[in-house]
Amino acid sequence: MKIRYFDNAATTKVKKEVLEAMLPYLNEQYGNPSSLYSLGRKAKTGIEKARKNVANLINCNPNEIYFTSSGTESDNTIIKQIAKKYKKNKKHIITSKIEHPAVLHTCQVLEKEGIDVSYINVNKEGIIDLEELKRSIRNDTFLITIMSANNEIGTIQPIETIAKIAKIHNIIFHTDAVQACGNMPIDVKKMGIDALSLSGHKINAPKGVGALYVKNGIEFDKFMDGGHQERNKRGGTENVASIVGLGEACLIAKNNLEPHIKHLQELRDYYIKQVEEKIQFVKLNGAKSKRLPGNANFSFEFIDGSALLFKLDEKGICASSGSACTSGSSEPSHVLKAIGLPDNLSKGALRVSFGEENTKEDVDYLINSLIEIVNELR
Ligand code: PLP
């Protein structure tokens, strides 16, 4: 059976060009990047080229990029390291109720260590309450961490405005841009972002590689003890091939951003229109316009999301009931809860996230399958 993949917010397929860029670093160029002979230097050159490409995607300097193992590691690192630096005098972090667990759970751990955290509410569309954010600022707030775009409902936050507010109060602003990078323009200089997390496997690079941008001038300690890799911040021999893959994926994302966004938007808007026209008792979760180009999250009333997923799977369709990270839990999604969705509607949520290989024909197949399954389940 042909697999139709609509779960690109969970992970993406490694692009052919990305794989081709990586392969030499798994055999011919296998040197340790810290070695001084040419085989090692070639691996090092591969890493530094990748650093430039990652930096170019978000418009920062290459020496502001640190390679990590994941978006999760990038989020953990910046939040914990900044907290460590400021802990003596400042005790307060601001975040939102709809962050990914990589941010939420990190903040919860810090709360146990005596840091206060304000979890800002969002409106019905999933957009942060800016007035509440402003009111929450204290003299001892040292970090605001708000995601650029949400992984479940796709809502895009007013990042530039939040960055301005942070700047006025001399607060560091970090954004989890794991879902945003490669799917919307991100310019850290123009947007006033001090720190940013991104992840390879959401932009057609491999799993297990990520990057952390930290603006020059923001001090933080070494976060992995060991060798002097990553400008003496993260010890450990680099994951050269995956880093090269991430760099290649960022280069492609930068060069293709406009047509990529246009293609996803067309599929998404067609899907949303068809579902609203052809299936009764549905509700689109999240903002209609301030939304990632490939995301559509619908609640199907009187339907259990996991039953829907199983039936879709039987037809070769991959989608998600919430985010891949929270699925498996029977609790309603914290994001859908935060936008005020009642439990019965949360249970019937289906996230579809389009990718570049999807076609209109795939979307027609998805819609026809949904009509059939929803009728059957109801
Ligand atoms: N942040 C967001 C918004 C995500 O969607 C994800 C992954 O789903 C992560 C962080 C974690 O990234 P990784 O899977 O690379 O650890």
Side-chain angles (χ1 to χ4, degrees):
M1 194 190 340
K2 185 176 169 188
I3 294 290
R4 321 256 178 166
Y5 189 76
F6 302 105
D7 206 11
N8 290 274
T11 197
T12 58
K13 179 169 161 181
V14 172
K15 239 184 195 332
K16 194 166 154 276
E17 298 92 317
V18 170
L19 181 64
E20 276 165 8
M22 290 172 65
L23 283 176
Y25 292 90
L26 290 167
N27 48 24
E28 297 135 47
Q29 310 293 358
Y30 58 85
N32 185 319
S34 297
S35 299
L36 295 180
Y37 41 78
S38 75
L39 195 66
R41 289 201 311 271
K42 277 183 184 155
K44 182 85 180 156
T45 305
I47 293 178
E48 294 318 315
K49 189 176 154 209
R51 203 182 305 280
K52 275 191 191 144
N53 285 332
V54 177
N56 205 22
L57 179 65
I58 60 169
N59 192 28
C60 69
N61 296 324
N63 70 2
E64 294 172 312
I65 292 291
Y66 302 86
F67 289 113
T68 64
S69 68
S70 57
T72 300
E73 183 186 326
S74 300
D75 285 340
N76 266 261
T77 299
I78 192 65
I79 298 170
K80 287 177 181 165
Q81 289 300 323
I82 298 294
K84 191 172 156 202
K85 213 71 204 161
Y86 282 86
K87 207 151 85 176
K88 254 191 173 163
N89 310 313
K90 298 198 176 192
K91 297 238 172 298
H92 183 231
I93 295 178
I94 298 176
T95 187
S96 84
K97 285 199 172 151
I98 62 164
E99 298 298 310
H100 186 273
V103 168
L104 279 183
H105 294 174
T106 302
C107 288
Q108 286 159 9
V109 165
L110 290 176
E111 277 185 290
K112 287 187 193 137
E113 295 173 11
I115 301 283
D116 295 336
V117 182
S118 298
Y119 299 91
I120 306 298
N121 285 296
V122 295
N123 67 13
K124 277 188 182 154
E125 298 198 315
I127 299 193
I128 198 103
D129 182 339
L130 287 174
E131 291 311 309
E132 188 186 333
L133 182 134
K134 284 188 214 159
R135 280 198 308 275
S136 304
I137 293 174
R138 308 191 328 201
N139 287 338
D140 64 346
T141 307
F142 59 88
L143 178 71
I144 297 179
T145 172
I146 303 282
M147 69 201 324
S148 301
N150 185 265
N151 44 307
E152 292 188 40
I153 54 174
T155 303
I156 295 170
Q157 300 298 339
I159 289 304
E160 264 184 271
T161 312
I162 299 170
K164 274 188 195 138
I165 298 170
K167 196 167 183 172
I168 293 169
H169 296 271
N170 209 10
I171 299 168
I172 293 172
F173 174 55
H174 164 252
T175 187
D176 174 339
V178 166
Q179 294 288 337
C181 280
N183 286 316
M184 59 182 258
I186 298 272
D187 180 328
V188 292
K189 286 195 182 128
K190 198 170 134 240
M191 297 165 101
I193 298 167
D194 297 321
L196 174 147
S197 305
L198 64 89
S199 174
H201 73 111
K202 310 289 181 176
I203 53 167
N204 304 100
K207 296 159 190 57
V209 63
L212 172 64
Y213 148 76
V214 185
K215 194 166 107 182
N216 280 335
I218 295 178
E219 286 181 21
F220 63 103
D221 286 345
K222 183 166 187 164
F223 55 93
M224 184 66 83
D225 293 315
H228 296 293
Q229 290 89 351
E230 292 303 285
R231 300 186 304 290
N232 205 24
K233 293 291 188 204
R234 185 182 190 266
T237 304
E238 300 88 335
N239 181 358
V240 183
S242 292
I243 288 172
V244 167
L246 174 59
E248 190 66 20
C250 287
L251 176 69
I252 297 170
K254 174 86 182 172
N255 292 339
N256 272 345
L257 196 59
E258 247 181 73
H260 172 73
I261 292 175
K262 188 166 171 279
H263 174 61
L264 297 194
Q265 261 169 358
E266 277 169 9
L267 296 178
R268 177 200 67 187
D269 292 346
Y270 175 67
Y271 170 76
I272 290 177
K273 194 161 175 282
Q274 293 289 308
V275 169
E276 285 179 338
E277 274 176 19
K278 295 192 169 152
I279 307 180
Q280 275 190 312
F281 308 113
V282 296
K283 184 191 173 303
L284 182 69
N285 298 315
K288 204 145 200 178
S289 61
K290 289 191 175 68
R291 179 177 206 110
L292 283 175
N295 174 294
N297 184 319
F298 271 106
S299 279
F300 295 84
E301 231 180 307
F302 319 115
I303 297 269
D304 174 48
S306 36
L308 186 55
L309 283 185
F310 281 122
K311 294 273 182 196
L312 287 169
D313 185 33
E314 283 170 10
K315 291 182 179 292
I317 294 172
C318 307
S320 168
S321 57
S323 71
C325 322
T326 44
S327 59
S329 131
S330 54
E331 283 290 297
S333 134
H334 68 286
V335 176
L336 299 180
K337 225 178 183 162
I339 61 169
L341 208 68
D343 284 0
N344 65 321
L345 282 179
S346 284
K347 275 190 185 154
L350 180 76
R351 178 188 72 183
V352 163
S353 43
F354 298 104
E356 61 160 18
E357 288 193 351
N358 290 136
T359 61
K360 186 168 168 287
E361 189 264 325
D362 287 333
V363 183
D364 282 327
Y365 179 81
L366 170 65
I367 293 159
N368 289 333
S369 304
L370 270 174
I371 294 170
E372 195 185 307
I373 296 168
V374 165
N375 276 340
E376 187 191 326
L377 290 176
R378 275 180 184 160

